[in-house]
Amino acid sequence: MTDGDWLLRAHGIARRFGAAHALEPTDVELRAGETVALIGPNGAGKSTLLSLLAGALPPSKGTLERRPGLRSGWLPQRPGHYARLTPRENLELFARLHGDGDPSGVATAALERFGLPDSGKTTGALSVGNRQRLSLAIALLGAPELLLLDEPTAALDPQQRDLLWEVALEHTRAGGTLVFATQQHEEISHAERVIELREGKVVT
């Protein structure tokens, strides 16, 4: 790969919450078309690092450099949608925020692609699997080049995990970059590169 293949560069980024160090100064470079797994025990700093890379948290120290015009999608551990809205209403809302052409058409396509109900039932009444698929559908709006997933299959059964990974890996086969945090050892095989964190520090 050439230097022009980079999407995002983190230079010594760190994050503190009060006196607690959630992430020590860390360097990360993400490149086009690669798949990266973040591994480590609970509290290792995986979610904090992903939140910083997604721009959801500002670093307490260091700098984050994004390629101009980079489109990214993020699936956090906590639901990124509104429980009182239906799946369609959520998708239309986020499609408008992304500036996707026809929000209604985008929502219809996403509902069909992810097998989500369009019955008028609110998102809060959906199963865990359906809520997670909705979160992934929202993360993929706007055709992101970089997709960040924070333990996306933690609460799913094996069949639901397979369905989620099928969609996530479609993103990589189309040339997108995927970064995911996981504690499932079998999921590490999806990655070309592994970053291990322990106690807020990168160890590999």
Side-chain angles (χ1 to χ4, degrees):
M1 291 183 177
T2 66
D3 186 63
D5 290 318
W6 71 274
L7 298 180
L8 185 152
R9 290 169 171 159
H11 306 279
I13 58 170
R15 178 68 192 191
R16 295 178 59 179
F17 294 97
H21 291 266
L23 186 72
E24 300 288 348
T26 299
D27 295 330
V28 176
E29 179 171 291
L30 301 177
R31 291 180 169 268
E34 71 173 342
T35 304
V36 181
L38 303 181
I39 65 171
N42 286 334
K46 302 185 302 296
S47 294
T48 300
L49 178 55
L50 277 177
S51 297
L52 291 168
L53 297 177
L57 277 178
S60 303
K61 181 179 180 181
T63 60
L64 193 64
E65 182 182 9
R66 299 167 68 89
R67 197 198 66 197
L70 175 65
R71 302 185 307 277
S72 60
W74 183 45
L75 192 162
Q77 279 191 337
R78 293 183 177 181
H81 45 65
Y82 295 95
R84 294 184 180 182
L85 299 181
T86 67
R88 173 176 288 279
E89 289 168 340
N90 269 288
L91 288 163
E92 290 182 355
L93 171 62
F94 284 98
R96 290 189 186 93
L97 294 175
H98 279 281
D100 285 348
D102 172 19
S104 178
V106 168
T108 297
L111 290 167
E112 293 175 355
R113 180 184 183 191
F114 288 88
L116 292 166
D118 193 17
S119 61
K121 182 184 294 186
T122 64
T123 299
L126 298 180
S127 67
V128 171
N130 277 337
R131 291 199 300 270
Q132 194 71 333
R133 289 206 297 275
L134 175 60
S135 292
L136 182 58
I138 291 170
L140 286 167
L141 291 175
E145 301 159 87
L146 171 62
L147 184 60
L148 305 163
L149 308 179
D150 192 355
E151 298 196 26
T153 64
L156 303 184
D157 63 35
Q159 183 178 12
Q160 291 170 337
R161 288 179 187 174
D162 289 344
L163 289 171
L164 188 143
W165 274 113
E166 181 181 342
V167 174
L169 293 176
E170 281 180 13
H171 174 77
T172 64
R173 288 192 291 269
T177 297
L178 174 64
V179 183
F180 64 94
T182 184
Q183 293 193 58
Q184 308 292 333
H185 291 291
E186 67 274 13
E187 294 182 348
I188 298 173
S189 64
H190 295 309
E192 303 163 342
R193 180 158 63 102
V194 176
I195 298 174
E196 183 177 0
L197 294 100
R198 290 187 179 275
E199 297 180 349
K201 299 177 181 179
V202 173
V203 296
T204 59

